[in-house]
Amino acid sequence: MRKRGLAVSLIVMGVAASLALSMIGTSESSPQLIQTFGLSATTDAFSAYFVLRDSSGNDVSSGGSVGLRIYDDFSVVLCDVFFIVHDGDFKKYATPTGDMVLGYIWTIEYSSMAKSDNRNDSLNAELSFGYKGNILTKNIGNVPFPPELKAPNKLPSPVLNGPTSGWSKRQVRFDASNSTDPNMDSLSFSWALGDGHQETSGENATYAYSKAGRYTVVLTVNDSEGGSRSVSHNITISDPEVMVIDAYGRWNGTSGDARSGDFFVNMTIRNQAPFEVEIRSSLFQTRDQEGQTSNSSGAETTGSSIIDTGMTARMMVFFEVPSNSTPIVLLYDSRIILPFGEQSTGNLTVHFFDVGQGDAILVESPDSRNMLIDCGPESAASTLVESLKSLSVTKIDILIATHPDADHIGGADEVLAAFDVQSIYHPGFFTDTATYGNFLDAAQAEGCSIYTDDQIDPGDFISFGQTVVQILNIDGNAPNSNSASIVLKLEYGTIRFIFTGDIDFNVENSMMANPSLDLNTDILKIAHHGSRYATSDAFLEAANPIIGVVSVGAGNPYGHPSPETLGRLSSHDIDVFRTDDDGTVIISTDGVKWATTLEPATISEISMIQESSKGITLPRVSASISLSPSVLAIDEWSSPQRCNGTTDISAMNRKTDINVLLICHWRNE
């Protein structure tokens, strides 16, 4: 950049000043140093000047090259110029201190300079002078920083990191340390934790939510110039304890029983957290319609009151409730509220339809909601629609298209045409296929809410009545369609399902590496029809399922399920059901126990040997045989049982230590 002009200040010297010129040399002298260098600010420009001095201490004029850099405290350069001067360009002038010197002076207009985000009071400058191969330099600080060179305030950029899930009464840490301000200003942080609590704790906030729920955390970052920006983050807090009331009422004790007449509650409690929890009977209360509470007067526990992760315990709690009072809710630790009379609302039923080589799974909730996970291939679309209608399905509350492969969404357009679909979830992974195009057209025509990777993230929850549904994986930018698969975890009471789409080892590893995801489950839909490239030993160890369901077509050309995958399932002692062998697999649960039924069954008399404490398989043999999950639990069998005619058989508690040999024969009358 060339200099923009000279502004030379000359003083008309009198006789008294002539003596001062004796120290001013001529162009014949060689400069040895930059004696003086300065910048003075005016309303629209800097006035820059420098003086060269020779070895005798005389001011000299000399042709050479001049370089000037003006920069702020963060080394942001506002001016960087280079130009040539000649002997005749040096003039006599008075410095701001009144000294008469021989030097060079020029003007640098602010309009030619960059602006700085720095908010300090001064700048820095560096001058270099080149003369016959020699370079002289001089640096100065405390250069005036005129307001005209200060850039307008830029708002801070808040960054909020934190888990998407946590546990009640456990501290959660939110981190805003990556927040920045373009102006390098100091920042202040204020936090709204979503439950009415406010904090100004700096760039990190640690908080323990007292109750389960979904909270929106809002971080507001302010700079020292009044700039402010906010960012939000959603977190779902769960209670570690899942409680199901099995029975309640007035205790009819024997004569002399001190608790006779007390109100009792018998319940099953499961620990769903990745740490042990202690159940303290003293934290239980009942409350009646008048708002009167009664504290626990004691408890009897089957097993330890300290429950390991994934394990269950039974507890009977007693309350001295007045005879004229009727409790309506049970409270635990003022955060878990269980209404009496509303626990046994029915079963949740999951249908793994036999659609050949593909997936189609219906979840029927106890509050009459329907979720359809995938729609199978186009060849099975009509059969799937008829199967849904035979179950009296008229509305599908949630349709999950796990990924855009034809064996998962081929029947979607026919399903969307046949039923009222309320919402659709798919990863948003694009494939240039007619099947995917038909699905997108049908989804748009349905006119319902559509959610993709743009709106939801792993760890988010989907509202599905009394049933908890969490997204474990969704990736619209995955390297392939299988890895894009939506993975769901469903929990009803103490029973858990995971539906895996067509994920592979890489996605399994990614989920296992996410500390906020709990992969422990009871029933696992085996990924990718039992492909050898999914369902690793490590994943099975993390999920620890009891039942595995493979949705697969008979005689498929892919060799699914692979012998390697079946071997891994066997080595982990997982009971496997296959739609190619067993037909449609139906699992029903009351939230504590479950039963599995298979259809179709082709024989009228079945011998079943079940050596397991995990659940009971109930083949559906004919219309005259009534087989449904019971609210009771099988605790032990002293001898083989024989059942004739119409019979209800209950499922067993999960993961007890009882080994059962159960042989039942059902015979049509």
Side-chain angles (χ1 to χ4, degrees):
M1 178 176 178
R2 303 292 296 177
K3 61 187 177 67
R4 300 181 64 88
L6 291 175
V8 180
S9 299
L10 299 178
I11 304 297
V12 179
M13 297 176 293
V15 176
S18 63
L19 292 177
L21 295 177
S22 63
M23 296 300 293
I24 299 176
T26 69
S27 60
E28 296 178 358
S29 303
S30 299
Q32 297 298 312
L33 73 145
I34 300 173
Q35 174 63 27
T36 304
F37 165 45
L39 292 163
S40 60
T42 65
T43 57
D44 58 1
F46 277 120
S47 180
Y49 55 91
F50 66 89
V51 175
L52 301 176
R53 187 159 288 180
D54 63 15
S55 57
S56 299
N58 298 316
D59 297 344
V60 296
S61 62
S62 175
S65 60
V66 178
L68 173 67
R69 294 176 71 248
I70 302 174
Y71 55 94
D72 65 17
D73 285 348
F74 294 97
S75 298
V76 176
V77 177
L78 283 68
C79 175
D80 192 357
V81 296
F82 178 84
F83 54 91
I84 303 297
V85 297
H86 303 91
D87 291 354
D89 294 333
F90 286 75
K91 305 296 182 182
K92 304 181 183 79
Y93 69 95
T95 67
T97 60
D99 296 327
M100 191 62 61
V101 296
L102 174 66
Y104 185 83
I105 183 170
W106 77 104
T107 298
I108 308 168
E109 296 176 359
Y110 298 149
S111 60
S112 69
M113 299 176 63
K115 296 185 184 300
S116 170
D117 292 326
N118 195 306
R119 290 306 184 257
N120 291 346
D121 295 329
S122 62
L123 297 170
N124 308 287
E126 177 185 286
L127 180 74
S128 64
F129 183 81
Y131 172 76
K132 294 183 178 180
N134 297 314
I135 302 294
L136 308 177
T137 61
K138 193 173 186 68
N139 298 295
I140 59 172
N142 296 317
V143 175
F145 195 166
E148 292 81 3
L149 293 180
K150 294 186 177 181
N153 182 42
K154 295 180 182 177
L155 298 180
S157 300
V159 177
L160 171 53
N161 296 310
T164 57
S165 62
W167 303 100
S168 59
K169 295 208 168 184
R170 285 265 174 159
Q171 287 191 330
V172 180
R173 185 175 184 271
F174 301 103
D175 181 4
S177 59
N178 290 328
S179 301
T180 58
D181 185 83
N183 305 113
M184 307 296 181
D185 291 343
S186 59
L187 299 177
S188 61
F189 302 82
S190 59
W191 303 82
L193 280 306
D195 62 350
H197 186 78
Q198 305 279 336
E199 281 196 14
T200 54
S201 59
E203 63 186 23
N204 294 298
T206 303
Y207 187 61
Y209 290 89
S210 60
K211 293 186 178 181
R214 185 175 174 85
Y215 300 96
T216 298
V217 179
V218 178
L219 165 68
T220 301
V221 177
N222 304 287
D223 64 24
S224 59
E225 296 180 272
S228 178
R229 268 188 177 170
S230 297
V231 64
S232 62
H233 174 78
N234 292 324
I235 182 170
T236 300
I237 301 297
S238 302
D239 288 313
E241 314 90 346
V242 177
M243 300 183 177
V244 177
I245 296 176
D246 298 322
Y248 63 92
R250 295 286 175 176
W251 183 253
N252 295 319
T254 59
S255 177
D257 188 342
R259 287 176 172 161
S260 182
D262 283 358
F263 190 85
F264 77 92
V265 181
N266 194 11
M267 70 190 76
T268 301
I269 305 168
R270 179 173 66 84
N271 174 19
Q272 64 173 345
F275 48 83
E276 66 178 25
V277 298
E278 180 181 7
I279 305 300
R280 298 168 58 189
S281 63
S282 60
L283 297 179
F284 284 100
Q285 288 181 313
T286 61
R287 188 170 64 206
D288 63 16
Q289 288 181 323
E290 304 300 324
Q292 298 298 313
T293 59
S294 299
N295 296 324
S296 167
S297 60
E300 296 178 1
T301 304
T302 301
S304 173
S305 61
I306 298 177
I307 308 176
D308 288 334
T309 180
M311 304 305 291
T312 61
R314 291 181 179 273
M315 179 174 285
M316 181 179 291
V317 187
F318 294 90
F319 304 87
E320 294 180 356
V321 178
S323 58
N324 60 350
S325 173
T326 301
I328 60 171
V329 295
L330 175 71
L331 299 92
Y332 180 72
D333 198 19
S334 300
R335 55 186 169 84
I336 299 178
I337 302 176
L338 301 173
F340 291 115
E342 297 186 9
Q343 273 60 57
S344 298
T345 56
N347 288 344
L348 178 135
T349 303
V350 181
H351 303 256
F352 297 84
F353 291 114
D354 179 10
V355 291
Q357 183 70 9
D359 277 14
I361 303 163
L362 175 67
V363 181
E364 296 180 288
S365 77
D367 50 354
S368 302
R369 300 171 191 257
N370 297 307
M371 176 191 295
L372 184 63
I373 305 172
D374 287 331
C375 301
E378 183 180 6
S379 60
S382 298
T383 301
L384 174 61
V385 168
E386 290 305 313
S387 296
L388 294 171
K389 289 181 177 179
S390 71
L391 296 169
S392 301
V393 173
T394 59
K395 180 181 71 172
I396 296 174
D397 297 272
I398 299 172
L399 173 61
I400 306 287
T402 61
H403 64 294
D405 285 3
D407 57 336
H408 290 254
I409 64 166
D413 50 348
E414 197 164 328
V415 168
L416 286 162
F419 300 98
D420 177 18
V421 177
Q422 299 292 299
S423 61
I424 298 173
Y425 291 77
H426 69 96
F429 183 94
F430 178 78
T431 56
D432 189 13
T433 64
T435 300
Y436 188 54
N438 293 338
F439 163 71
L440 292 180
D441 291 343
Q444 290 295 332
E446 189 71 14
C448 63
S449 299
I450 299 176
Y451 304 93
T452 69
D453 188 17
D454 293 334
Q455 292 82 34
I456 51 178
D457 298 301
D460 287 352
F461 289 81
I462 298 176
S463 176
F464 191 54
Q466 302 173 3
T467 307
V468 178
V469 180
Q470 185 181 27
I471 302 284
L472 301 183
N473 184 72
I474 180 171
D475 188 358
N477 299 308
N480 56 69
S481 61
N482 289 336
S483 297
S485 291
I486 294 176
V487 178
L488 298 174
K489 181 173 184 178
L490 182 150
E491 296 185 59
Y492 179 58
T494 67
I495 304 302
R496 299 153 296 179
F497 296 75
I498 288 181
F499 306 96
T500 53
D502 276 1
I503 62 170
D504 58 13
F505 293 147
N506 290 330
V507 178
E508 292 173 358
N509 292 337
S510 176
M511 293 192 298
M512 287 188 288
N514 188 339
S516 67
L517 299 181
D518 176 14
L519 301 180
N520 203 268
T521 190
D522 301 290
I523 295 95
L524 176 68
K525 201 287 291 189
I526 304 304
H528 201 178
H529 322 291
S531 164
R532 66 193 298 181
Y533 301 110
T535 318
S536 67
D537 282 312
F539 183 68
L540 291 174
E541 188 71 26
N544 193 25
I546 295 165
I547 285 180
V549 180
V550 185
S551 185
V552 65
N556 69 83
Y558 311 104
H560 294 160
S562 73
E564 295 93 334
T565 299
L566 293 176
R568 290 193 291 268
L569 293 169
S570 175
S571 67
H572 287 267
D573 193 26
I574 297 168
D575 298 329
V576 176
F577 297 94
R578 300 169 47 166
T579 57
D580 59 341
D581 289 341
D582 302 314
T584 293
V585 178
I586 305 169
I587 299 178
S588 293
T589 175
D590 63 358
V592 180
K593 305 163 289 291
W594 73 84
T596 306
T597 62
L598 311 174
E599 59 178 18
T602 57
I603 56 176
S604 61
E605 185 168 339
I606 295 177
S607 294
M608 179 183 69
I609 299 177
Q610 179 79 16
E611 291 192 65
S612 172
S613 62
K614 303 170 182 177
I616 292 183
T617 303
L618 305 177
R620 185 173 297 173
V621 294
S622 75
S624 66
I625 304 299
S626 172
L627 299 171
S628 61
S630 166
V631 298
L632 301 175
I634 299 174
D635 292 325
E636 61 180 309
W637 294 86
S638 59
S639 62
Q641 305 295 305
R642 180 171 295 277
C643 315
N644 295 321
T646 301
T647 307
D648 286 343
I649 303 294
S650 75
M652 297 187 61
N653 293 327
R654 73 182 299 274
K655 295 185 176 179
T656 62
D657 295 326
I658 305 167
N659 292 317
V660 175
L661 175 62
L662 173 63
I663 304 176
C664 284
H665 295 272
W666 290 278
R667 184 172 63 250
N668 290 329
E669 299 297 332

